[in-house]
Amino acid sequence: MLLIDSPSTNAYFNIASEEYLLTHFPTEDIFLLYVNAPSIIVGKFQNTLAEINLDYVREKEIKVVRRMSGGGTVYHDLGNLNFSFHTLLGQNDFGDFSVFTKPVLTMLNKLGVPAELKGRNDLLVDGKKFSGNAKLARHGKMIQHGTILLDSEMEVLADALKVNPLKFIDKAIKSTRSRVTNLIDYLPAETTTEQLKDWLREEILENNPQAEKYTLTPEDIAGIEKLQKEKYETWDWNFGFSPQYNFQKAIKIPAGFIEIHLDVVHGIIEKAKIFGDFFASHPIEDFESQLIGKKHEISEIENLLKSVDLTAYFGKVTVEEIRELFV
C-alpha cells in the first residue's frame, strides 16, 4: 500500500488527484490523505445549483467541485480531514463501507471517542454525524473516500449549503441534511488535522506493515494539474454535468411581480417562461427566446441582461433586480 499525503489544500487539485491516481496506479493499493481550503464537494449525480447557496459561495470565494463518486454534497475546510482508499475491485464488497471506515473508528475508539458506523455510510458520535463516505468503481479499481470533521466552521457549512427548496424541482439526488458535529469536542482541544493524519497513518501501518510512504513526483503533480485545469476547474464538469431540472423563482420589485420557470438540461436552458404583473412594451417571448441555449450560470446570464434593453420587457428595472430571478 502506498501512503500519500497531498501537498495541496486546493480542492480542484485534490479531487483531480483521486482520478489521476486511479488511472496511473492501476494495481497498487493507495491510502491518500488531504485537507481542502473552504470548498463544496458535490456528488457526481447531483444538481449543483440545487445543493448550494450560490451567492454566499461566490461572496466567500468557496470552490465548488464535483467528485467522481455518488452520494451527497459536503463542505470542506482546513478543519476537515479527508481520506481516500484505493484498492482492486473485487477484493472487497462494493456495498460494504465498514472495511475502510474501520481504521478511522478504531483510531478514534482508542482515543476514547465513542464513534460508530451507522446506516449505510455515515460515522456518528452520540448520534451526530462527523463523517460521510462515498464510493466509486472504475478501471478495475474501487475508491472509498470520506471526511472527518475535526474543527470545521459549522456556521459556514450551514450557510454554504443552505438553499431554497422551492427553487428547484429536479431529477438529481438531493443531499440529506444531517445533524453534524466536530470531533474537537471529544479530543484534546489542541488537536490539529496534522495530528489526526499522524494517528490515522499509524493505525494503517499497524495493520499494513508493508505500506510505504509515496511522495508525488513532479510528473505526478504536472499530470494532476493538467487534469485539474481541463476538467475539475471547469463549469462544464462542476455545473453543466448536472442532470435535467426545472428552476422556478419569483421576485417582487417596484416594477411588479415577476416569476420565471426554466427547463435546464446539463446546465443549458432549453425552455424559459416568464409570468408577472409588470408592463412591457416588447413581447416577453422575445426575451424568453434569448435565454434559450444559454448556460444557467450567473456570469453568462448577466452578460445577456447587460446586452438587452430590460425596460422594454419589464418596465423600469435594473440588471441587478432581474439577475435575482436566476439565482
Side-chain angles (χ1 to χ4, degrees):
M1 176 180 286
L2 302 179
L3 305 181
I4 303 175
D5 188 0
S6 171
S8 176
T9 57
N10 184 331
Y12 294 136
F13 179 93
N14 286 326
I15 302 303
S17 70
E18 293 199 305
E19 182 171 350
Y20 174 88
L21 294 171
L22 183 70
T23 56
H24 287 75
F25 293 82
T27 60
E28 292 89 342
D29 286 347
I30 293 173
F31 179 61
L32 169 69
L33 289 168
Y34 58 90
V35 174
N36 285 328
S39 51
I40 292 174
I41 314 301
V42 181
K44 182 178 180 180
F45 309 113
Q46 292 190 292
N47 173 9
T48 303
L49 288 173
E51 294 293 331
I52 66 175
N53 181 342
L54 184 60
D55 285 339
Y56 183 87
V57 166
R58 290 181 179 276
E59 177 189 346
K60 298 297 183 181
E61 298 183 338
I62 298 172
K63 290 181 172 62
V64 178
V65 194
R66 186 184 300 279
R67 62 179 184 267
M68 291 188 295
S69 62
T73 297
V74 291
Y75 173 74
H76 290 176
D77 62 19
L78 298 177
N80 179 65
L81 176 62
N82 305 285
F83 60 92
S84 180
F85 287 94
H86 300 219
T87 188
L88 288 175
L89 188 62
Q91 288 185 343
N92 297 282
D93 178 2
F94 185 79
D96 182 6
F97 282 83
S98 65
V99 174
F100 296 116
T101 54
K102 184 178 180 181
V104 177
L105 293 175
T106 302
M107 171 200 70
L108 291 173
N109 292 162
K110 288 178 178 177
L111 294 167
V113 180
E116 57 184 341
L117 174 65
K118 282 289 188 179
R120 180 182 57 172
N121 58 337
D122 294 335
L123 302 185
L124 276 62
V125 59
D126 290 340
K128 296 180 181 179
K129 177 178 172 179
F130 68 87
S131 174
N133 293 264
K135 278 190 178 184
L136 68 100
R138 186 183 294 182
H139 304 311
K141 293 195 80 174
M142 179 181 75
I143 293 179
Q144 180 174 318
H145 45 198
T147 62
I148 303 176
L149 289 170
L150 175 64
D151 195 12
S152 191
E153 295 182 279
M154 289 299 182
E155 289 185 3
V156 177
L157 184 156
D159 289 339
L161 300 184
K162 187 186 300 177
V163 69
N164 181 352
L166 299 179
K167 282 188 189 178
F168 294 88
I169 302 171
D170 60 63
K171 298 178 181 178
I173 301 170
K174 289 188 176 67
S175 293
T176 301
R177 304 293 184 232
S178 301
R179 292 180 64 199
V180 295
T181 190
N182 277 316
L183 287 181
I184 195 66
D185 298 327
Y186 298 84
L187 294 167
E190 66 277 6
T191 302
T192 65
T193 52
E194 287 301 315
Q195 286 177 305
L196 208 56
K197 280 183 185 179
D198 290 340
W199 291 334
L200 193 47
R201 268 193 297 259
E202 288 173 8
E203 183 62 35
I204 295 296
L205 283 168
E206 186 174 324
N207 294 285
N208 299 272
Q210 303 304 314
E212 57 182 285
K213 182 178 179 181
Y214 179 85
T215 301
L216 295 175
T217 66
E219 291 76 19
D220 292 329
I221 291 174
I224 294 169
E225 289 176 341
K226 183 175 186 292
L227 186 59
Q228 168 188 334
K229 181 179 178 60
E230 293 178 353
K231 180 176 181 179
Y232 287 95
E233 286 185 0
T234 67
W235 181 91
D236 286 345
W237 172 252
N238 294 322
F239 290 87
F241 188 82
S242 297
Q244 179 178 347
Y245 61 88
N246 306 112
F247 175 88
Q248 303 174 25
K249 189 175 181 184
I251 60 173
K252 183 69 171 71
I253 57 177
F257 173 82
I258 308 174
E259 181 179 351
I260 192 167
H261 292 243
L262 303 175
D263 287 352
V264 185
V265 178
H266 298 310
I268 305 299
I269 299 171
E270 289 202 344
K271 293 181 181 179
K273 189 63 182 173
I274 297 172
F275 306 93
D277 61 3
F278 51 89
F279 295 98
S281 59
H282 285 40
I284 194 62
E285 291 82 3
D286 290 351
F287 180 70
E288 291 169 350
S289 67
Q290 294 183 66
L291 291 170
I292 307 305
K294 294 290 189 293
K295 294 177 181 178
H296 189 196
E297 196 272 327
I298 200 60
S299 61
E300 183 155 332
I301 297 296
E302 283 180 340
N303 288 336
L304 171 63
L305 298 180
K306 292 174 182 177
S307 71
V308 301
D309 180 10
L310 293 177
T311 61
Y313 300 110
F314 300 101
K316 191 175 181 181
V317 298
T318 66
V319 169
E320 290 71 26
E321 287 173 331
I322 301 303
R323 173 192 182 277
E324 288 304 305
L325 274 172
F326 297 88
V327 297

